[in-house]
Amino acid sequence: MRLTIDQLNAADQATFTRLLDGVYEHSPWIAQQTWSRRPFATLAQLKHALAHTVRSAPLEEQIQLIRAHPELAGKAAIAGELTAESTHEQSRAGLTHCTPHEFERLQQLNSQYKDRFGWPFILAVRGPRGLGLSRQDIIETFAHRLRNHPDFERAECLRNIHRIAEIRLNDKFGQEPVEGQRVWDWAAELAQHTDVPPIEGEPFNLTVTYLTPAHQACARQLQNWMHECGFDEVRLDAVGNVVGVYHGLTADAPRLLTGSHYDTVRNGGRYDGRLGIFVPMACVRALHNRQQRLPFGIEVVGFAEEEGQRYSATFLGSSALVGDFNPDWLAQTDAQQISMKTAMQQAGLPAHLDAIAQEKRDPAHYLGFVEVHIEQGPILDSMDMPVGVVTSINGSSRYAIELEGMASHAGTTPMAQRHDAAAAAAELILYVEKRARQDEQSPHGPSVATVGMLQVPNGSINVIPGRCHLSLDLRAPIDTQRDALTRDVLSELEAICHRRGIQYQARHLLTAAAAPCSPRWQQRWADAVQRCGLPVQALPSGAGHDAMKLHQILPQGMLFVRGGNAGISHNPLETITADDAQLCVEAFQNLLDDLAHHP
Amino acid sequence: MRLTIDQLNAADQATFTRLLDGVYEHSPWIAQQTWSRRPFATLAQLKHALAHTVRSAPLEEQIQLIRAHPELAGKAAIAGELTAESTHEQSRAGLTHCTPHEFERLQQLNSQYKDRFGWPFILAVRGPRGLGLSRQDIIETFAHRLRNHPDFERAECLRNIHRIAEIRLNDKFGQEPVEGQRVWDWAAELAQHTDVPPIEGEPFNLTVTYLTPAHQACARQLQNWMHECGFDEVRLDAVGNVVGVYHGLTADAPRLLTGSHYDTVRNGGRYDGRLGIFVPMACVRALHNRQQRLPFGIEVVGFAEEEGQRYSATFLGSSALVGDFNPDWLAQTDAQQISMKTAMQQAGLPAHLDAIAQEKRDPAHYLGFVEVHIEQGPILDSMDMPVGVVTSINGSSRYAIELEGMASHAGTTPMAQRHDAAAAAAELILYVEKRARQDEQSPHGPSVATVGMLQVPNGSINVIPGRCHLSLDLRAPIDTQRDALTRDVLSELEAICHRRGIQYQARHLLTAAAAPCSPRWQQRWADAVQRCGLPVQALPSGAGHDAMKLHQILPQGMLFVRGGNAGISHNPLETITADDAQLCVEAFQNLLDDLAHHP
């Protein structure tokens, strides 16, 4: 008997609690307290409500929930109780078949973990796809999480508990996130192509840079899938973008433009960019299967280049669409001295500016640009929010700062006679932090400010730093807020250096304009998310995206999906669940639906 | 007609001022205000009193004094007025014979200097020895000082004005610092020997490391000079120390032990260590010339090794004298894989432990150990004090600290969710600074604390620092003060890391015990300085010295002499004046005299 939302909505508290028995390990209070939040429109809403109950509980009850899971101790535990999932779940992960070496390692990790945190290690071993993690994955995650800060690791355990609950609820409801799994599987399959040949014993390195063989293989694969999904037109454009069009009621109907990039950083993640191609592909596939046409066409672009890895030509793909392709790029050479023009020719592209110029889109033919992207940050993950609506792509400014004080003997120079360049840097770092936090409640969204590079060149333990180099990266949702931040930081730098007798140079590296998302498209994404049964979490994008380029010619709006592992990105640990991918597809479908009815 | 101190002491204010006319450029107020401080016992006291008058004047009057010097503008100025010294002084420096290129460079520097500071560049062109700087020296100093902080450069101008006044007073009084010049010349001559062959166009690089040919040449030179000075016994000991003994009334009279090291750091200065050999050599020379014997012998040791450059065997020379030679040192190899034992054999030393053990001194035969040393710090220079009495050689502790936070995207991670390792380091750096300043008024003397090495490994401009490495060097005049400082810093480190969710490792590298100077020997040095007419400036030694080793078996006391260029050391810019060297010799003579009369 499959459970339904209607059953739950109609149940009294005791029945409700009984129906959800076993979803949260030995902790019926979670279902009990969630009962009052009925009715639930969707399973996603129920999941979110349960997680919200745990979030709102006192810290002791949260730790109690973690402790309700049995500790990994002894072979029996490894076989059955590592993650408090059922033996069925465990056996899928193969934990019943540990080698003696694996068993020993797990025992060791478990003992270290217990010493460090005092609660059992919780891991959703069925993993983000629901198919189960390998024993090697489990051991690596265990080792990795041992190094977390206790506050963070406690939250990570709760997130794993929610994921275990999600999988159990999917089972109870007989709901598989089929569209999400399809997206997840596409991502896995596309990630087979990499510039870096896999090396036995080395971790897999996903690197796909502009127009390499792996990059071209990705483009072919995307085109094949688009054909399979039922796109009406599929082509590789003049710069290597993969463009698929699903016509509206007529072939010349206005179009919704969407997509993201398929290149990656070196040793990157498989969702960054690509998710924004797969999600609308899944929607077109469903439309095609239903033989449904909308009043508007859908044009999905897999941008060939966004990351600027092989050449310094960031946003190359989307630049071509807005008529902003820099002619100088063609002459740029890569590390092997291959010019971009040559690389294009070798890839069978026209490699001349006229052809590229023709890729420029006429805004009059488009409704707007939307992009789905992994958040690449920790906000949604830390809030137990699967998706969020982007308010703005932050503007940024960057500086390289060199401080020059006076190098002198650490033993003989009195504190009051020092001109310590590192101490001046330290003051600036703390000011930068404090000043950015002042914008936390800004109506436009918070600022962030980072000193990412910091070095005393040739420092010695017994020499007062005469020089210190540091970088400054300042971002805010609107340009005026970014400018105020920049002004304050530079003026504090001046004050610190004046006070400390330090000379400085602040070399300006970059100013990028903020790209506020169109209020209308933000609202459309918000409505789409609410129709999934989820609350709307608005957040700015700290990173740049193709939408930032398209912003030059079209109103744009973005949907973010949470990344696991605290949103880590540009990193092999980047991850999303099939359930969250499913919500992305559903939200995108809601958006299309809404557009069709309220153009 | 030579001026005398008696004349000045007897003069009324107007006469006094007239007699000192021209000593300070167009600023008779300095002499006028110094008149009330008569009588002066020595010329050194008069010089100090004049400098003190300038120090006590309001800032505007100090700047007025600087501005009273004509600006460098036009060829005439270069010929005659660059430093407001007389044309006679200028011509000694050869400034009347500039090449067109040099002239142009000076014009350019002068214009930059004026723009930056707003007052004329002042340089005592007759230099530390009184013989005159070369045009190249002048241009280099000009360029170097252009980069100073204005506050520091203002003080540096005043110090040059005092130096010009000193030379003019020497001329007026007909007093040449003959002993100081001899010491200065010995230092210059010994600095001809270096491990690094001079390269055309490269600055001279003074590097003398243990038992190299240059090092052995230094030892031979020192022995020759000791013979010439009239030492009764001169020998190279088992580790390469040069030992000279000037007998007391009898050959077996107890001895005063003194000396310092003749090795250098790489690209070091010519006074560091060596001054402490030359000053007592000059005293013995004078005693011998007067055929004078004291109730005690004088044993001067030129220590072969203190800096630990070729081998990691710091204080090797003095270690042999206290029976603390580490037997493992013999097996150490240098960068060319030459063991210390082999190096010793090649230098004709016995190279076995028995011979080395015999160098151990019996404390019963010695009155104590005294050492004259360049300060290697800015204190005396900044106070216009030629010499100072050391209260203690600071104890130290050192740590290497590694912070581990969480590397994440600088654009997407909210300020409140960061675990920024560099920000934690910044907090620690500022705490270290603040905490050390709390000890400024400690009755035992101030502490110093330095973060000299600082680095975010592989930092990126757009990544929050996940790691940060830094060093910690903590020093205090007594061990308990150092320990309290260390404890507070480490406990703040713990608190910062706890608050910020950062993991850390603090690896202990070193703890060195403080060596407080014997109160009796401090008093003897203080008396000796006072007999020169100078006030007594007590200060701790931040750097380690051979006296620190001798401290293990004998009471010890040290005299510091100011270093020019803000006391810079371990650097070719290390410098002292012949006049200050003269005061060292006189103070040492006073000390011997005092010891002879009050043993």
Side-chain angles (χ1 to χ4, degrees), chain A residues 109-432:
Chain A
L109 287 165
N110 190 58
S111 141
Q112 288 172 356
Y113 189 94
K114 189 185 161 194
D115 285 353
R116 177 152 159 72
F117 300 112
W119 59 68
F121 175 66
I122 317 281
L123 175 65
V125 293
R126 276 180 55 193
R129 173 59 168 85
L131 290 175
L133 298 173
S134 71
R135 295 198 298 276
Q136 192 52 38
D137 282 342
I138 292 170
I139 288 169
E140 276 171 15
T141 306
F142 210 152
H144 168 73
R145 281 174 48 188
L146 247 179
R147 297 160 65 206
N148 282 339
H149 188 266
D151 292 347
F152 179 84
E153 179 56 20
R154 192 184 60 240
E156 190 67 13
C157 282
L158 292 175
R159 286 192 284 267
N160 273 277
I161 287 170
H162 294 317
R163 176 65 185 151
I164 294 168
E166 173 163 74
I167 292 174
R168 290 175 178 171
L169 284 166
N170 288 350
D171 290 348
K172 268 187 194 284
F173 281 78
Q175 282 199 12
E176 272 211 79
V178 178
E179 294 299 336
Q181 287 168 348
R182 190 184 329 278
V183 164
W184 204 97
D185 294 342
W186 276 333
E189 199 171 335
L190 200 64
Q192 305 285 313
H193 305 291
T194 172
D195 295 350
V196 182
I199 298 165
E200 172 77 31
E202 295 277 303
F204 182 80
N205 182 321
L206 175 60
T207 303
V208 179
T209 64
Y210 190 48
L211 296 183
T212 60
H215 185 271
Q216 295 179 56
C218 287
R220 280 191 299 275
Q221 178 67 79
L222 286 171
Q223 291 175 79
N224 290 342
W225 282 333
M226 284 182 176
H227 281 298
E228 287 166 25
C229 286
F231 280 81
D232 300 299
E233 302 169 18
V234 178
R235 67 184 178 101
L236 195 70
D237 82 1
V239 297
N241 296 327
V242 175
V243 182
V245 182
Y246 184 70
H247 292 157
L249 291 171
T250 59
D252 61 354
R255 294 173 185 171
L256 174 65
L257 192 62
T258 184
S260 191
H261 61 99
Y262 67 88
D263 68 324
T264 76
V265 296
R266 298 181 196 283
N267 202 20
R270 55 168 77 156
Y271 306 102
D272 176 6
R274 296 161 174 211
L275 187 72
I277 310 169
F278 299 142
V279 167
M281 270 169 55
C283 293
V284 165
R285 185 182 173 282
L287 287 169
H288 175 73
N289 283 353
R290 288 197 301 271
Q291 304 224 340
Q292 187 182 349
R293 293 286 173 182
L294 302 174
F296 52 91
I298 302 172
E299 181 170 334
V300 181
V301 184
F303 293 106
E305 210 297 339
E306 189 254 23
E307 301 282 10
Q309 299 280 315
R310 183 174 174 187
Y311 300 97
S312 293
T314 316
F315 300 110
L316 180 148
S318 41
S319 294
L321 268 68
V322 301
D324 202 18
F325 186 92
N326 182 346
D328 296 340
W329 284 341
L330 289 181
Q332 270 196 27
T333 54
D334 69 2
Q336 275 74 47
Q337 304 306 314
I338 299 168
S339 74
M340 187 187 286
K341 191 178 172 75
T342 305
M344 283 178 156
Q345 284 164 340
Q346 288 172 352
L349 301 179
H352 58 80
L353 292 172
D354 289 351
I356 295 170
Q358 288 182 21
E359 299 296 349
K360 181 174 177 183
R361 299 299 193 270
D362 178 354
H365 297 158
Y366 292 90
L367 303 176
F369 179 78
V370 294
E371 182 173 0
V372 177
H373 207 283
I374 186 167
E375 181 200 335
Q376 300 185 283
I379 297 177
L380 295 173
D381 193 46
S382 70
M383 301 179 87
D384 297 321
M385 286 289 185
V387 293
V389 176
V390 178
T391 54
S392 177
I393 306 170
N394 281 353
S396 63
S397 65
R398 288 181 175 178
Y399 289 83
I401 296 174
E402 298 195 8
L403 302 174
E404 188 175 338
M406 197 186 293
S408 50
H409 196 298
T412 61
T413 312
M415 300 310 290
Q417 291 185 35
R418 297 178 170 213
H419 301 282
D420 182 332
E427 251 194 276
L428 187 70
I429 290 168
L430 295 183
Y431 177 79
V432 160

Side-chain angles (χ1 to χ4, degrees), chain B residues 344-407:
Chain B
M344 283 177 158
Q345 285 165 341
Q346 287 172 351
L349 301 179
H352 59 80
L353 292 172
D354 289 351
I356 294 168
Q358 287 181 21
E359 299 296 348
K360 182 176 177 184
R361 300 299 193 270
D362 178 354
H365 297 158
Y366 292 89
L367 303 175
F369 179 78
V370 293
E371 184 173 358
V372 177
H373 208 283
I374 187 167
E375 182 200 337
Q376 301 184 282
I379 299 177
L380 295 173
D381 193 46
S382 68
M383 301 180 86
D384 298 320
M385 286 288 184
V387 294
V389 177
V390 178
T391 54
S392 178
I393 306 170
N394 280 354
S396 63
S397 65
R398 289 181 175 178
Y399 289 83
I401 297 174
E402 297 193 10
L403 302 174
E404 188 176 337
M406 197 185 293

Side-chain angles (χ1 to χ4, degrees), chain A residues 452-463:
Chain A
M453 300 167 86
L454 174 66
Q455 197 187 20
V456 172
N458 302 316
S460 296
I461 196 164
N462 62 344
V463 176

Side-chain angles (χ1 to χ4, degrees), chain A residues 116 147 149 376-379 382 404 410-412 414 417-418 433 448-452 454-456 460 465 500-501 503 542, chain B residues 147 149 376-379 382 404 410-412 414 417-418 433 448-452 454-456 460 462 465 500-501 503 542:
Chain A
R116 177 152 159 72
R147 297 160 65 206
H149 188 266
Q376 300 185 283
I379 297 177
S382 70
E404 188 175 338
T412 61
Q417 291 185 35
R418 297 178 170 213
E433 190 177 50
V448 287
T450 306
V451 172
L454 174 66
Q455 197 187 20
V456 172
S460 296
R500 287 181 174 270
Q503 296 184 61
Chain B
R147 296 161 65 207
H149 187 268
Q376 301 184 282
I379 299 177
S382 68
E404 188 176 337
T412 59
Q417 290 185 37
R418 297 179 169 213
E433 190 177 49
V448 286
T450 306
V451 172
L454 175 66
Q455 197 188 17
V456 172
S460 296
N462 62 345
R500 288 180 173 270
Q503 295 184 60

